[in-house]
Amino acid sequence: MLTNKRILLIIGGGIAAFKSLDLIRRLRDQGASVTPVMTKAAEEFVTPLSTSALAAQKVYRDLFDLTDEAEMGHIELSRAADLVVVAPATADLMAKMAHGHANDLASTLLMATDKRVLIAPAMNVRMWEHPATQRNLAMLRGDGVLIAGPDEGNMACGEYGPGRMSEVLDIIAAIDAALGDGPMKGRHVIVTSGPTHEPIDPVRYIANRSSGAQGTALAAALRDLGARVSFVTGPASVPPPAGVDVIRVETAAQMAEAVAAAHPADAAIFAAAVADWRVENASGSKMKKDGSGTAPALEFAENPDILAGVAQMGEGRPKLVVGFAAETDDVVANATAKRARKSCDWIVANDVSPETGIMGGHENRIVLITDDGAEEWPRLPKDEVARWLASRIATALGAG
Ligand code: C5P
């Protein structure tokens, strides 16, 4: 429920604006109050009258509306809310937000607010995939803006792909999470993610192909359920999610230290692809060819097994410790043996043979190994795998 929560809803000019009317209705059903703001373009899609009737409030439309200014200035309007929601967030609104424009009421409110902002992007698939939009999205994420969607599917323009505004119930779930009232409220989860880099010399390192996508999606899904997330990440190729505590590390040893410092936790999820070995004779200066034709020999030392360490820590052990197993053959047998060897509660196993396209890709097909045996999940987008896993984690902690 969103009882007494105040939502400032900015409606952008897109065909998805019609869904915003349903969003207003459902938010109010849940006890929230909704103050609507419409851009000029939004008025081409829904009328201020219907918006105002559903919200049971005045619709704010114009920066220079003196009556509005007399009643409530735009600064005050931007702050008299618990959350600012932009739905639909058009490519143009996202561009304005990313670059700090303030040339109409909506963009000015977005600049002036001191509250968290959640956007539900909606646009044609080409516009969504355009490098400019993706650049703006990354900037907005970096600024801590929360993003709901977009979904993939058939679009009003007849094309297929990502760009469709999230379903209203999903936007409400994201609003719920942003306001911190999810089932995992009060729980702390440590998530490791990404590859590690083990230096050979100051300019070279040993790494692996992990993008950090699955760990990032999992941290976001846990955050969306209201958990406090300590996100310990190696140098991943996807940006960390907003709204989590990000602890950046490079090596396995640094990751182990960061995890130790993040305790106590209710659960610890080890999605990172940690290097098993580090170069023991790493050079302090750049290694050079000496003309002899002999390659330098690297000596390796074993890294600490962070997962096993936490799973076997005795007092203070998180209630749920989850490991990941990236395998290329005998997935279930190897993962089951790994679960026993490391003493963790669950192993999330997947087949990362190159032909599966899983490592670095957008989808994952996992087998969840628990006390009850092996559960095969269908191939799903990594975001979806993350949501399923997060909800299983919540259930296991008695928070589901
Ligand atoms: O033994 P293996 O590397 O296959 O185990 C994978 C699981 O163990 C992953 O959950 C990974 O994050 C974790 N791990 C770790 N520390 C290591 C090696 C692996 O936490 N040094």
Side-chain angles (χ1 to χ4, degrees):
M1 285 300 278
L2 292 163
T3 317
N4 297 331
K5 299 291 186 208
R6 298 161 307 163
I7 309 290
L8 183 71
L9 175 66
I10 296 176
I11 306 175
I15 188 78
F18 76 93
K19 287 199 209 169
S20 306
L21 298 182
D22 191 31
L23 178 62
I24 295 174
R25 188 177 60 78
R26 288 182 191 264
L27 285 169
R28 295 197 59 222
D29 282 352
Q30 295 215 17
S33 69
V34 182
T35 304
V37 174
M38 293 174 74
T39 64
K40 278 272 166 298
E43 294 183 23
E44 303 291 329
F45 296 92
V46 287
T47 67
L49 189 64
S50 49
T51 309
S52 155
L54 276 163
Q57 281 208 43
K58 176 185 176 61
V59 179
Y60 292 85
R61 298 155 63 188
D62 193 348
L63 185 56
F64 300 107
D65 185 332
L66 290 178
T67 325
D68 290 353
E69 287 293 324
E71 286 167 11
M72 185 190 261
H74 61 267
I75 305 287
E76 200 182 332
L77 181 60
S78 77
R79 297 181 186 172
D82 297 305
L83 184 72
V84 179
V85 176
V86 187
T90 58
D92 181 58
L93 258 177
M94 286 176 61
K96 281 182 169 169
M97 287 175 73
H99 296 280
H101 288 222
N103 60 356
D104 61 6
L105 180 60
S107 54
T108 305
L109 292 173
L110 286 160
M111 281 289 281
T113 189
D114 60 352
K115 296 301 181 320
R116 289 193 89 185
V117 177
L118 173 93
I119 66 169
M123 67 198 71
N124 166 273
V125 55
R126 285 291 177 105
M127 293 174 75
W128 173 252
E129 286 173 347
H130 194 285
T133 302
Q134 291 302 311
R135 245 185 344 257
N136 293 336
L137 179 70
M139 286 166 82
L140 293 173
R141 271 217 180 92
D143 290 345
V145 170
L146 303 172
I147 324 279
D151 285 353
E152 189 167 318
N154 289 317
M155 311 199 56
C157 52
E159 289 181 42
Y160 182 90
R164 209 168 66 166
M165 188 165 90
S166 273
E167 293 306 326
V168 167
L169 289 179
D170 290 333
I171 298 174
I172 290 183
I175 291 172
D176 237 326
L179 292 168
D181 284 344
M184 289 280 278
K185 187 177 177 170
R187 314 288 175 131
H188 176 214
V189 185
I190 300 171
V191 178
T192 71
S193 181
T196 59
H197 285 181
E198 304 296 334
I200 296 171
D201 68 16
V203 296
R204 304 181 179 92
Y205 55 82
I206 294 175
N208 59 67
R209 294 185 196 282
S210 167
S211 62
Q214 188 62 82
T216 301
L218 192 52
L222 288 161
R223 171 207 63 197
D224 287 349
L225 293 182
R228 176 164 79 83
V229 179
S230 293
F231 185 65
V232 182
T233 177
S237 48
V238 297
V244 302
D245 299 330
V246 181
I247 304 125
R248 293 176 199 272
V249 298
E250 286 211 350
T251 65
Q254 290 166 356
M255 188 172 275
E257 250 176 60
V259 167
H263 285 291
D266 298 283
I269 320 294
F270 294 89
V274 185
D276 289 324
W277 308 90
R278 66 178 175 277
V279 181
E280 199 169 32
N281 59 342
S283 167
S285 49
K286 188 181 169 197
M287 292 159 94
K288 295 202 164 57
K289 286 181 283 196
D290 62 7
S292 70
T294 334
L298 299 180
E299 285 162 27
F300 291 92
E302 202 168 331
N303 273 327
D305 190 317
I306 312 167
L307 163 64
V310 172
Q312 294 162 18
M313 73 189 259
E315 203 181 327
R317 180 193 194 273
K319 183 169 173 200
L320 184 72
V321 178
V322 181
F324 277 63
E327 304 285 350
T328 52
D329 41 28
D330 291 333
V331 175
V332 173
N334 282 326
T336 305
K338 191 165 290 178
R339 174 173 175 269
R341 198 165 61 240
K342 304 212 182 201
S343 318
C344 57
D345 302 298
W346 300 351
I347 284 273
V348 179
N350 54 14
D351 184 347
V352 292
S353 317
E355 63 275 16
T356 65
I358 283 174
M359 206 135 185
H362 294 297
E363 291 184 335
N364 207 350
R365 196 170 152 264
I366 68 158
V367 183
L368 181 64
I369 316 251
T370 67
D371 243 351
D372 302 329
E375 251 176 61
E376 300 211 12
W377 289 15
R379 192 175 171 115
L380 293 166
K382 285 183 176 171
D383 285 1
E384 193 110 345
V385 170
R387 279 199 289 272
W388 283 31
L389 265 175
S391 105
R392 283 291 286 271
I393 291 165
T395 309
L397 294 179

